[in-house]
Amino acid sequence: MDKGNLSIVSEFVLLGLCHSWNMQVLFLIIFFMLYLIIVSGNVFIMILIITDSHLHSPMYFLLANLSFVDMWLSSVTTPKMITDFLRENKTISFGGCMCQILYVHFVGGGEMVLLVVMAYDRYVAICKPLHYSAMMSLQKCTSLVVTSWSIGFVHAMSQMAVIVQLPFCGPREIDSFFCDIPLVIKLACIDSYNLGILMNADSGVLAMTCFILLLISYTYILLTIRQSTKTGASKALSTCTAHITVVVLFFGPCIFIYVWPLSIT
């Protein structure tokens, strides 16, 4: 790593969301409140599930893990972004930038896979209720959670193995509020066009695979619900609606983060 990385850039400058002081104060208040809501909400969910014996089921076990992952993911970049609103010099060290990239892709990749696991849990509960206890035992749920973390880790390391070897010797301004691969690659002292496509394809394959699996799961679920009684269909839809909302809330910000910075450069 030391031999391959010829970087003479010790830090990067994060340009943030805007340059107006009034807008920065507004964003500071908004994101600080949102961060408090996210953290406190996820902590409350985890404590409630752990302490309430009625919630010791596979669905809530996975929900507690999702809350933990979501809290971690929001804590990777948000505290740094909030403090930067108060500083004129918005810099991040080279190592800090690499850590942000690592954790965003590690935790984000794991959360995507975990959403698929939760969809599988709903599929088994609705489409194969008689086999639910056997197919979604605590051991099986634990192995699925470990698998989601493992996939996230492999995905992140496959990205980092390339990024840390890039030479950085020129511009060091990142037109965003956090470090991520598409914007950091642009600063490398090499022709990074093909590399950028490759790295985006790596993330895209994981995201599209998870999204397709989610669609397949909910297609089977909706087909099963159509054949159910009115009471059963209503109950199934209520749990599925909550999970679909979580999926939209996760993929929505991902689309915003990846499309918005690139569209203004």
Side-chain angles (χ1 to χ4, degrees):
M1 173 177 169
D2 292 333
K3 293 180 180 179
N5 190 357
L6 303 177
S7 172
I8 59 173
V9 175
S10 61
E11 63 181 16
F12 295 102
V13 178
L14 300 174
L15 298 183
L17 294 174
C18 64
H19 300 289
S20 168
W21 171 250
N22 291 332
M23 289 301 298
Q24 289 192 56
V25 172
L26 177 62
F27 280 131
L28 169 64
I29 296 172
I30 293 174
F31 284 104
F32 181 72
M33 295 302 297
L34 287 175
Y35 182 63
L36 283 182
I37 292 171
I38 291 172
V39 172
S40 59
N42 284 316
V43 170
F44 174 75
I45 290 173
M46 289 187 290
I47 293 175
L48 182 64
I49 293 174
I50 292 172
T51 56
D52 191 342
S53 59
H54 296 92
L55 301 180
H56 292 177
S57 65
M59 182 180 74
Y60 290 105
F61 172 77
L62 296 175
L63 179 60
N65 279 276
L66 181 67
S67 295
F68 173 74
V69 173
D70 188 58
M71 181 178 64
W72 189 5
L73 182 61
S74 64
S75 298
V76 173
T77 60
T78 308
K80 168 66 176 172
M81 178 182 64
I82 292 173
T83 57
D84 280 347
F85 285 131
L86 301 173
R87 301 192 308 178
E88 183 177 352
N89 187 24
K90 301 175 176 59
T91 59
I92 183 172
S93 66
F94 181 85
C97 186
M98 295 300 106
C99 285
Q100 276 196 353
I101 293 174
L102 172 64
Y103 286 121
V104 164
H105 285 267
F106 173 34
V107 184
E111 184 166 358
M112 278 193 289
V113 179
L114 189 57
L115 288 172
V116 175
V117 172
M118 294 180 71
Y120 173 73
D121 170 74
R122 292 300 84 205
Y123 162 76
V124 175
I126 296 171
C127 301
K128 299 183 179 181
L130 298 179
H131 303 283
Y132 183 71
S133 298
M135 295 180 66
M136 295 303 295
S137 62
L138 179 60
Q139 182 179 2
K140 181 67 174 293
C141 289
T142 303
S143 65
L144 288 173
V145 170
V146 171
T147 299
S148 69
W149 282 102
S150 300
I151 292 176
F153 179 76
V154 171
H155 166 66
M157 294 308 296
S158 68
Q159 304 268 349
M160 292 302 299
V162 176
I163 294 297
V164 296
Q165 301 295 330
L166 293 177
F168 297 95
C169 55
R172 59 192 186 100
E173 293 183 343
I174 298 177
D175 194 9
S176 182
F177 55 88
F178 78 109
C179 290
D180 201 12
I181 291 174
L183 299 176
V184 173
I185 284 181
K186 287 184 175 182
L187 304 181
C189 301
I190 58 172
D191 183 4
S192 58
Y193 178 77
N194 292 330
L195 180 60
I197 293 177
L198 178 64
M199 302 301 283
N200 285 331
D202 186 1
S203 297
V205 167
L206 178 61
M208 285 303 300
T209 300
C210 291
F211 189 70
I212 290 172
L213 290 175
L214 286 168
L215 288 179
I216 293 173
S217 297
Y218 279 103
T219 299
Y220 277 104
I221 289 172
L222 292 175
L223 290 175
T224 303
I225 289 175
R226 288 185 60 185
Q227 302 172 0
S228 303
T229 62
K230 187 175 181 179
T231 304
S234 177
K235 184 177 180 180
L237 278 174
S238 64
T239 58
C240 290
T241 301
H243 185 251
I244 291 174
T245 302
V246 173
V247 171
V248 172
L249 290 175
F250 177 80
F251 280 97
C254 285
I255 294 173
F256 172 79
I257 288 172
Y258 277 90
V259 173
W260 176 77
L262 295 178
S263 64
I264 63 175
T265 56

